[in-house]
């Protein structure tokens, strides 16, 4: 990869459909047959927790190859405080350019901008193999639990990175996924039908 062959900028109104299509292509059949993240993005842009200043697209040779976005959420601390944090995603890179280093560049750029805006920590569900290279660790190491997950369940999918060192030092508690991420299956299906047809496949390695 040539380090100068891409640009990262904020998403514009006119990018929206192309970004949703990019998300659809990138997530399709990866975690389950089909997927829903393109609809999640469609819905979340109108959510009060959505952060326009952290809604990025990546371009190469004049076309969209990646996107990433953030939402505000909270940790409900065990001592009763509400700790403001970020969650992130969908993040994606177009399928034909996966594993060329673009995802890490986009992620690191986004995190740097989030830190510049003064946010203290980012938590979400993800693969430590990718996010660990950008400084994420298991959220359990920070004393943060995932909502509705039994205490003895595997929480290795739940990751955290402090943007302000020590931000979570005196915090233990439960992270809450913003409600906007919970979309209705029928609405996903209806939205998906507005895109060109794609075949849903049950593939090895899918999570759901
Ligand atoms: C996940 C995604 C954004 C990563 O972007 P990418 O451009 O493919 O990743 P990069 O090439 O920048 O990878 C950076 C590092 O993470 C590792 N990595 C990337 N994806 C990984 C994965 N799925 N599992 C384990 N490690 C991974 C790479 O090996 C690379 O390390 P290296 O440079 O030492 O080899 C991209 O693959 C994607 O869009 N996937 C489908 C959608 C998705 O899963 N989004 C994330 C949901 S949480």
């Amino acid at each position: 990869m040539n380090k100068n062959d891409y640009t990262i900028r904020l998403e514009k109104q006119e990018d929206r459909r192309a970004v949703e299509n990019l998300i659809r292509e990138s997530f399709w059949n990866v975690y389950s047959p089909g997927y829903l993240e393109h609809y999640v993005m469609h819905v979340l842009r109108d959510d009060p927790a959505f952060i326009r200043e952290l809604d990025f697209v990546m371009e190469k040779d004049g076309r969209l190859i990646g996107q990433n976005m953030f939402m505000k959420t909270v940790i409900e601390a065990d001592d009763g405080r509400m700790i403001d944090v970020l969650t992130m995603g969908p993040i994606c890179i177009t399928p034909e350019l996966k594993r060329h280093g673009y995802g890490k560049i986009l992620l690191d750029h986004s995190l740097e901008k989030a830190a510049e805006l003064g946010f203290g920590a980012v938590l979400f569900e993800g693969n430590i193999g990718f996010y660990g290279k950008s400084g994420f660790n298991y959220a359990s190491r920070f004393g943060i639990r995932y909502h509705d997950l039994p205490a003895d369940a595997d929480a290795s999918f739940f990751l955290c990175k402090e943007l302000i060192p020590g931000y979570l030092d005196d915090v233990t508690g439960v992270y809450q996924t913003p409600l906007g991420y919970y979309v209705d299956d029928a609405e996903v299906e209806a939205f998906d039908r507005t895109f060109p047809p794609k075949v849903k496949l049950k593939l090895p390695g899918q999570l759901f």
Side-chain angles (χ1 to χ4, degrees):
M1 182 189 60
N2 175 346
K3 281 193 177 157
N4 297 316
D5 71 351
Y6 63 87
T7 53
I8 299 173
R9 62 167 175 80
L10 292 176
E11 184 188 33
K12 298 177 193 160
Q13 176 86 28
E14 59 265 34
D15 298 322
R16 289 186 171 195
R17 183 73 176 177
V19 166
E20 288 160 10
N21 195 51
L22 174 71
I23 295 171
R24 182 177 186 248
E25 293 292 329
S26 304
F27 277 87
W28 197 258
N29 292 336
V30 172
Y31 295 102
S32 71
Y35 214 38
L36 45 74
E37 294 285 309
H38 49 310
Y39 184 60
V40 169
M41 181 68 179
H42 184 73
V43 171
L44 290 186
R45 288 196 199 90
D46 295 326
D47 191 297
F50 183 79
I51 307 172
R52 294 205 184 287
E53 299 81 3
L54 296 175
D55 174 23
F56 297 104
V57 297
M58 189 176 213
E59 286 180 316
K60 173 175 152 57
D61 303 327
R63 74 181 183 104
L64 285 174
I65 65 156
Q67 64 66 233
N68 190 21
M69 56 76 92
F70 293 80
M71 297 274 290
K72 293 179 191 166
T73 189
V74 291
I75 294 167
E76 294 174 0
D78 295 328
D79 61 11
R81 289 177 294 163
M82 289 290 184
I83 308 296
D84 291 326
V85 292
L86 294 178
T87 191
M88 198 192 86
I91 175 174
C92 73
I93 293 294
T94 190
E96 65 275 19
L97 289 176
K98 276 182 196 168
R99 306 300 279 255
H100 285 69
Y102 292 107
K104 184 173 188 323
I105 289 171
L106 177 59
L107 173 63
D108 290 346
H109 174 90
S110 314
L111 293 169
E112 196 180 306
K113 295 295 171 195
E116 282 173 22
L117 291 183
F119 291 104
V122 189
L123 299 98
F124 55 83
E125 307 88 343
N127 182 332
I128 194 75
F130 174 56
Y131 296 106
K133 296 195 161 125
S134 292
F136 281 84
N137 207 329
Y138 301 114
S140 57
R141 302 265 170 94
F142 295 85
I144 312 302
R145 308 181 299 282
Y146 192 76
H147 56 89
D148 304 330
L149 196 67
D152 57 349
D154 175 15
S156 60
F157 65 90
F158 179 39
L159 309 179
C160 176
K161 177 182 164 97
E162 287 182 332
L163 300 176
I164 300 173
Y167 186 73
L168 298 175
D169 271 1
D170 64 345
V171 179
T172 62
V174 177
Y175 158 88
Q176 293 297 343
T177 297
L179 291 178
Y181 280 92
Y182 298 97
V183 289
D184 178 83
D185 287 348
E187 288 178 16
V188 173
E189 289 301 319
F191 183 67
D192 195 65
R193 282 194 293 275
T194 68
F195 291 83
K198 276 183 89 70
V199 179
K200 292 184 182 180
L201 296 174
K202 183 85 196 122
L203 298 174
Q206 289 172 340
L207 299 176
F208 312 110

